[in-house]
Amino acid sequence: MNIKLIAADLDGTLLDSQKQLSPNLPALLRELRAKGIRFAPASGRQYYNVLALFGDENMTYIAENGAMVFENGRCLFADELPRSLLREATALVRTLPNAYAILAGEHSAWCEDDEPVFNENAAMYYARLRRVPNLDEVDDRICKIAVFERGNAEHGCWPALQALSGEAQVVLSGADWVDLMNPGVNKGGAIRQLCQKLGISPDECMAFGDYLNDREMLEAVTHSFAMANAHPEIQAVCRYQAPSNDEDGVVRAIRNFL
């Protein structure tokens, strides 16, 4: 089996229920690298957050739900949001009570607020976050706008941000968060762009996932694996099943398959 790229979601897939990586993963990654097989964590998290988790710059990382791909410490591509949309979105967020914006960029994430609860939550997802007086003056390639509203995003900022739905995807990503990205951005699109750059076919790719935001990634490869703990819709679209994330499923499935 001539596999050249393996992509794996993090939460619920590569990470166990305690948010820990398998102790067996480092040895597997060394073996894959020796065979010339790229391993790419694929997450909605910031690149610098995932990099801190793995501690290895010399890997391929799919970050921000596919809006950015890094390899060997270099940004291969970023699905940059238009400056006009950034200004419009940040202006709208400033009018919303208890809502705070983060611009997710190539070099850092950026915010202009220092509200304590917002800071505490932002720190969980952004390992590199810089505060500036005015987000309109940020000089970076921005691929996502994350809007925080504690416990009320669905009924507070999310309906208000629908005013931008003609220009961007407006995605409710949790009880506290709404994400804005360019239309069509997802992990599957990142896989396809990465394969095109590297000259890799879907038949040479494996992918692992557990939840609905992994669907496009799993459909973009021939060898798709649903975790045993995956959502039923994900299990339905995958060719194979891996043991659960609490059973070292990704590592075991890769070893069995290869």
Side-chain angles (χ1 to χ4, degrees), residues 135-212:
L135 288 176
D136 296 336
E137 299 173 1
V138 167
D139 183 17
D140 198 354
R141 289 201 293 172
I142 305 300
C143 67
K144 186 177 79 176
I145 306 168
V147 182
F148 174 81
E149 183 175 356
R150 185 183 185 184
N152 192 45
E154 181 174 3
H155 303 290
C157 61
W158 186 46
L161 291 166
Q162 294 301 319
L164 304 174
S165 61
E167 304 168 74
Q169 292 186 74
V170 183
V171 181
L172 182 67
S173 57
D176 305 321
W177 294 94
V178 176
D179 291 338
L180 285 79
M181 297 178 292
N182 278 323
V185 170
N186 54 61
K187 295 178 186 179
I191 290 286
R192 285 189 289 272
Q193 288 193 59
L194 184 58
C195 286
Q196 184 176 9
K197 284 180 177 290
L198 300 174
I200 296 174
S201 74
D203 290 344
E204 297 171 312
C205 298
M206 297 170 64
F208 295 82
D210 74 301
Y211 208 66
L212 299 179

Side-chain angles (χ1 to χ4, degrees), residues 8-23:
D9 172 54
L10 287 184
D11 297 282
T13 301
L14 199 58
L15 298 178
D16 64 19
S17 297
Q18 305 304 312
K19 304 298 184 183
Q20 299 295 313
L21 290 169
S22 165

Side-chain angles (χ1 to χ4, degrees), residues 7-53:
D9 172 54
L10 287 184
D11 297 282
T13 301
L14 199 58
L15 298 178
D16 64 19
S17 297
Q18 305 304 312
K19 304 298 184 183
Q20 299 295 313
L21 290 169
S22 165
N24 301 314
L25 183 62
L28 176 64
L29 295 182
R30 288 192 294 270
E31 293 174 37
L32 293 175
R33 185 171 293 171
K35 295 176 182 293
I37 301 173
R38 284 177 167 82
F39 185 87
S43 176
R45 301 185 186 201
Q46 180 193 43
Y47 161 65
Y48 299 101
N49 180 290
V50 185
L51 177 61
L53 181 66

Side-chain angles (χ1 to χ4, degrees), residues 98 100 112-121 131 148 150:
N98 306 313
Y100 308 93
E112 60 184 20
D113 297 284
D114 59 1
E115 197 277 331
V117 173
F118 165 66
N119 287 344
E120 179 183 351
N121 281 268
R131 187 167 292 103
F148 174 81
R150 185 183 185 184

